């Protein structure tokens, strides 16, 4: 005993206290937080999923890599891609109802009178008084609605927590047991929901996925894969424009943004993605605009191709400055050379966090430089330049980020290969969809994927596809669950199981909210019945979803 006591006697009381304190802190940091359902992501789908879990009587933790909730819905996409709004139900519709309530208050109209607002939406009126919904809104209004959802339902959200994608997902017997973030926090649950645009949790759990465009032959589709000389939206070069730095001299090199690679054979698959951009919230109110900032690495030569487009007489620059309340815009890509940073995102889905930050910064610098160029450069027609100087970033939006959106538009990243793969056959109504948990209706919409030099020696874009469904279509439960042999307690609400071209319709914010709620309802049922998510009885799930106001078919009794 004396020998055992000697080391203790040699430690001071202060050191001993520190040792005990350190030991307690270590134990505390290693203790896992737990809930019935763990949701990873901060998107609109994450919020509706969390609300559904709590309202169904189960506990939930939202582990969000983002500080701001809502993804693109609160990140600049205020001119909602509604499609057929009759297909939008449940908590998704509740979101747009709360937006409507906000703008019915006169105090919401700070920078213009309500009567001055044009009330134009995308395929619908902006403010639909008959259905008590509003589809067009400012970013901060959307974020407040999401925060209200969280606070009213007393939902615990841990922000700025990033999944350890290398070693942070523990899977045993086909089930996720826990996830760990880079800060060292561990979270245990019975069912997990991946609500990220990137599908990071599903990938780390070993679930199958696809990145890029499938060949048409994979799912017997017409509009997948490479689609050269197909121009559905007009976002292509309508005039013959020389692609070289010194016109006519190929030895001078290609202008910025043009690939030297051939585009590939039509209908062939590749690992390329439709372009990303920021949806900018601009203002033309003198008291609420900030001049477009000039990036530190600004180079006007990067926008020479746009100058050559202007030289052809093209004047559509302001066509997608879509108006939202209070003299602001949701500004989207339009034309052959615009805010889409074509070809600069291919490695994003599987890139490290560090590389993703670089890609996001590259997109930010490109887009800031683009708008600075149009507002200031003498290569821009005087009438365009003069009008552009009336615009700036909205001073009262994204105040903690230099008035710049906090979310890049990740139009497509990983897509799960699950129990059921949605293809253009589903979107176009060419086959019966089993076990629907929501509906979609928007155009199969792909932005441009690559910019290349044609055989004739001119610049052209490729990948801009827009094919309209004949009717709204159903989204199968099998598209939000992995194959049963891969994982039995995971649901995927945004990176759903779909072909590239079908995802072009599904990837709309109202649909993500719909699928978030349906995924959560299924998660609760799987817990209560102690079943794999793939084995949830659909007839019972259907009844629950209908009782929550979800729209599952065109005509409901």
């Amino acid at each position: 005993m004396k020998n055992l006591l000697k080391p203790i006697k040699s430690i001071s009381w202060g050191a001993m206290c520190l040792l005990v304190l350190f030991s307690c802190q270590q134990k505390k940091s290693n203790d896992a937080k737990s809930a019935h359902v763990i949701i990873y992501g901060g998107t609109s789908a994450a919020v509706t999923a969390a609300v559904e879990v709590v309202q169904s009587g189960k506990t939930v933790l939202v582990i969000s890599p983002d500080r701001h909730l809502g993804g693109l819905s609160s990140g600049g996409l205020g001119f909602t891609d509604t499609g057929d709004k009759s297909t939008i139900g449940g908590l998704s519709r509740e979101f747009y109802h709360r937006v409507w309530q906000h703008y019915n208050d006169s105090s919401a109209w700070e920078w213009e009178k309500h009567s001055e607002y044009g009330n134009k939406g995308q395929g619908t009126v902006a403010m639909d008084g008959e259905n008590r919904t509003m589809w067009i809104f400012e970013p901060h209004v959307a974020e407040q609605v999401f925060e209200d959802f969280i606070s009213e339902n007393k939902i615990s959200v841990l922000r700025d927590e990033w999944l350890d994608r290398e070693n942070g997902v523990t899977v045993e017997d086909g089930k996720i047991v826990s996830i760990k973030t880079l800060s060292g926090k561990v979270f245990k649950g019975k069912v997990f929901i991946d609500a990220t645009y990137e599908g990071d949790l599903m990938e780390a759990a070993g679930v199958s996925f696809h990145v890029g465009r499938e060949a048409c032959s994979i799912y017997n589709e017409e509009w997948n894969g490479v689609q050269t000389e197909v121009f559905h939206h007009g976002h292509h070069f309508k005039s013959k424009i020389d692609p070289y730095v010194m016109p006519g001299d190929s030895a001078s090199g290609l202008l910025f943004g043009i690939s030297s690679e051939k585009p590939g054979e039509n209908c062939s698959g590749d690992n390329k993605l439709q372009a990303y951009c920021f949806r900018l919230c601009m203002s033309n109110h003198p008291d609420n605009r900030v001049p477009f900032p000039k990036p530190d690495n600004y180079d006007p030569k990067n926008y020479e191709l746009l100058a050559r487009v202007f030289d052809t007489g093209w004047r559509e620059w302001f066509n997608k400055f879509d108006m939202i309340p209070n003299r602001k815009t949701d500004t989207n890509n339009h034309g052959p050379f615009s805010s889409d940073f074509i070809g600069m995102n291919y490695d994003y889905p599987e890139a490290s966090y560090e590389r993703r930050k670089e890609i996001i910064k590259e997109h930010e610098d490109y887009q800031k430089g683009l708008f600075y160029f149009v507002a200031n450069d003498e290569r821009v027609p005087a009438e365009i330049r003069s009008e552009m100087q009336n615009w700036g970033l909205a001073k009262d939006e994204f105040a903690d980020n230099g008035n710049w959106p906090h979310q890049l538009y990740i139009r497509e990243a990983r897509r799960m290969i699950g129990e059921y793969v949605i293809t253009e056959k589903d979107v176009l109504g060419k086959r019966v969809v089993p076990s629907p948990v929501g509906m979609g209706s928007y155009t199969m919409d792909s932005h441009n994927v690559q910019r290349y030099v044609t055989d004739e020696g001119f610049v052209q874009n490729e990948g801009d596809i827009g094919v309209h469904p004949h009717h709204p279509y159903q989204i199968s439960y099998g598209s939000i669950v992995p194959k049963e042999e891969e994982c039995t307690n995971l649901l995927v609400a945004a990176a759903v199981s779909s072909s590239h071209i079908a995802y072009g319709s599904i990837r709309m914010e109202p649909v993500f909210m719909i699928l978030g709620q349906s995924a959560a309802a299924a998660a609760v049922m799987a817990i209560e019945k102690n079943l794999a998510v793939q084995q949830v009885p659909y007839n019972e799930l259907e009844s629950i979803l209908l009782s929550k106001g979800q729209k599952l078919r065109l005509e409901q009794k």
Side-chain angles (χ1 to χ4, degrees):
M1 285 294 295
K2 290 182 180 179
N3 290 336
L4 292 175
L5 289 172
K6 281 183 180 179
I8 297 177
K9 289 181 179 179
S10 66
I11 300 177
S12 68
W13 278 107
M16 185 177 292
C17 290
L18 286 173
L19 182 63
V20 172
L21 178 62
F22 177 76
S23 176
C24 291
Q25 288 177 335
Q26 283 288 96
K27 185 177 187 302
K28 184 177 180 179
S29 66
N30 290 331
D31 284 345
K33 296 181 181 292
S34 62
H36 290 113
V37 179
I38 304 295
I39 298 170
Y40 182 63
T43 62
S44 59
V47 176
T48 56
V51 172
E52 176 61 32
V53 172
V54 170
Q55 292 185 353
S56 296
K58 295 291 184 285
T59 58
V60 67
L61 288 172
V62 178
I63 315 305
S64 173
D66 310 302
R67 294 192 302 274
H68 296 272
L69 298 179
L72 251 294
S73 284
S74 61
L77 204 167
F79 197 75
T80 304
D81 303 308
T82 50
D84 185 333
K85 62 190 179 185
S86 69
T87 65
I88 301 169
L91 290 170
S92 184
R93 196 171 193 84
E94 171 67 13
F95 170 84
Y96 297 104
H97 171 63
R98 291 188 179 210
V99 171
W100 178 83
Q101 289 179 312
H102 172 84
Y103 286 108
N104 267 298
D105 187 334
S106 60
S107 66
W109 300 89
E110 182 177 2
W111 301 108
E112 68 178 337
K113 296 179 181 178
H114 187 180
S115 60
E116 296 171 344
Y117 179 61
N119 206 35
K120 177 186 176 183
Q122 189 168 170
T124 182
V125 294
M127 179 173 274
D128 181 355
E130 180 182 355
N131 292 291
R132 297 167 59 87
T133 51
M134 188 160 180
W135 308 99
I136 312 299
F137 47 83
E138 299 159 277
H140 76 272
V141 172
E143 185 169 2
Q144 187 58 57
V145 173
F146 289 123
E147 291 293 349
D148 289 345
F149 275 152
I150 294 297
S151 61
E152 290 168 14
N153 292 279
K154 298 180 173 56
I155 296 167
S156 296
V157 180
L158 289 87
R159 305 174 196 241
D160 200 20
E161 289 289 344
W162 298 78
L163 179 68
D164 180 347
R165 291 159 54 194
E166 297 296 324
N167 304 295
V169 179
T170 301
V171 178
E172 295 178 2
D173 299 324
K175 288 185 176 182
I176 301 173
V177 176
S178 65
I179 65 173
K180 182 178 68 174
T181 57
L182 294 178
S183 67
K185 296 183 179 69
V186 177
F187 305 94
K188 292 184 175 181
K190 293 183 179 296
V191 175
F192 293 77
I193 297 175
D194 185 334
T196 64
Y197 296 127
E198 296 85 358
D200 280 344
L201 176 55
M202 82 174 178
E203 186 277 335
V207 170
S208 299
F209 63 90
H210 187 86
V211 175
R213 299 184 287 187
E214 298 92 347
C216 294
S217 59
I218 299 297
Y219 298 117
N220 192 23
E221 296 176 297
E222 180 181 359
W223 299 110
N224 211 333
V226 176
Q227 298 281 337
T228 56
E229 299 301 313
V230 177
F231 309 122
H232 286 173
H233 291 113
H235 303 317
H236 62 282
F237 293 88
K238 300 175 184 179
S239 302
K240 295 180 177 180
I241 295 180
D242 193 292
Y244 300 110
V245 174
M246 299 295 294
D249 181 8
S250 61
S252 66
L254 293 167
L255 291 175
F256 179 81
I258 303 175
S259 173
S260 60
E261 295 182 7
K262 293 291 185 182
E265 296 294 324
N266 270 16
C267 261
S268 63
D270 57 26
N271 62 353
K272 299 173 181 176
L273 301 167
Q274 58 177 308
Y276 298 167
C277 71
F278 286 94
R279 300 287 288 251
L280 291 192
C281 185
M282 300 181 183
S283 172
N284 66 356
H285 194 293
D287 297 329
N288 193 39
R289 69 174 183 229
V290 177
F292 297 112
K294 180 180 180 180
D296 294 337
N297 58 357
Y298 174 72
D299 186 347
K301 292 193 294 293
N302 291 347
Y303 310 100
E304 170 63 22
L305 190 53
L306 177 59
R308 294 184 188 182
V309 173
F310 282 135
D311 287 345
T312 69
W314 184 83
R315 294 294 184 270
E316 300 176 19
W317 176 253
F318 297 102
N319 280 24
K320 284 301 290 178
F321 280 43
D322 292 315
M323 297 306 299
I324 61 177
N326 283 310
R327 290 179 60 172
K328 299 177 190 176
T329 70
D330 166 1
T331 305
N332 195 11
N333 178 83
H334 179 76
F337 189 104
S338 185
S339 56
D340 278 0
F341 202 15
I342 299 171
M344 303 300 178
N345 60 342
Y346 299 157
D347 60 332
Y348 178 89
E350 299 201 75
S352 65
Y353 291 135
E354 291 74 18
R355 174 59 187 143
R356 284 184 184 171
K357 288 179 182 178
E358 292 174 355
I359 294 169
I360 292 168
K361 184 63 164 61
E362 289 163 4
H363 280 70
E364 179 180 335
D365 288 346
Y366 164 77
Q367 216 162 324
K368 283 182 175 178
L370 173 68
F371 287 97
Y372 182 86
F373 176 85
V374 174
N376 295 281
D377 198 281
E378 292 186 358
R379 289 282 275 119
V380 177
E383 69 271 22
I384 298 289
R385 191 168 69 249
S386 175
E387 175 64 20
M388 192 66 176
Q389 290 171 1
N390 292 325
W391 292 94
L393 300 178
K395 186 185 296 185
D396 61 349
E397 299 288 350
F398 313 116
D400 63 346
N401 197 42
N403 309 112
W404 194 259
H406 45 69
Q407 175 68 59
L408 180 64
Y409 196 168
I410 309 302
R411 288 191 171 93
E412 186 176 348
R414 299 187 187 95
R415 301 185 313 279
M416 179 172 64
I417 303 175
E419 286 277 293
Y420 187 91
V421 179
I422 303 169
T423 74
E424 69 177 46
K425 292 180 180 179
D426 301 285
V427 178
L428 298 178
K430 294 182 178 180
R431 65 178 177 181
V432 177
V433 176
S435 308
V437 291
M439 297 189 74
S441 61
Y442 200 77
T443 301
M444 289 192 295
D445 177 26
S446 173
H447 281 230
N448 278 307
V449 175
Q450 52 189 334
R451 178 175 290 142
Y452 67 100
V453 179
T454 67
D455 292 340
E456 291 76 28
F458 302 104
V459 62
Q460 193 51 271
N461 296 333
E462 182 276 324
D464 178 38
I465 303 297
V467 178
H468 293 274
H470 303 298
H471 305 284
Y473 59 93
Q474 296 169 308
I475 300 172
S476 174
Y477 179 62
S479 69
I480 65 172
V481 294
K483 297 174 182 176
E484 189 167 0
E485 62 268 24
E486 292 183 345
C487 189
T488 60
N489 68 336
L490 173 69
L491 296 110
V492 178
V496 299
S497 180
S498 167
S499 71
H500 154 74
I501 194 59
Y503 193 75
S505 174
I506 295 167
R507 63 173 180 82
M508 304 303 156
E509 289 292 303
V511 176
F512 287 151
M513 285 188 258
I514 290 166
L515 296 181
Q517 181 176 10
S518 291
V524 169
M525 185 176 292
I527 292 168
E528 291 178 342
K529 294 182 176 295
N530 194 27
L531 294 171
V533 294
Q534 294 83 1
Q535 298 302 320
V536 166
Y538 176 72
N539 61 333
E540 295 182 37
L541 177 61
E542 178 187 41
S543 296
I544 289 174
L545 296 179
L546 292 174
S547 73
K548 303 279 186 172
Q550 292 280 55
K551 308 295 184 180
L552 305 183
R553 57 184 60 86
L554 281 176
E555 295 181 6
Q556 300 184 55
K557 295 180 181 180

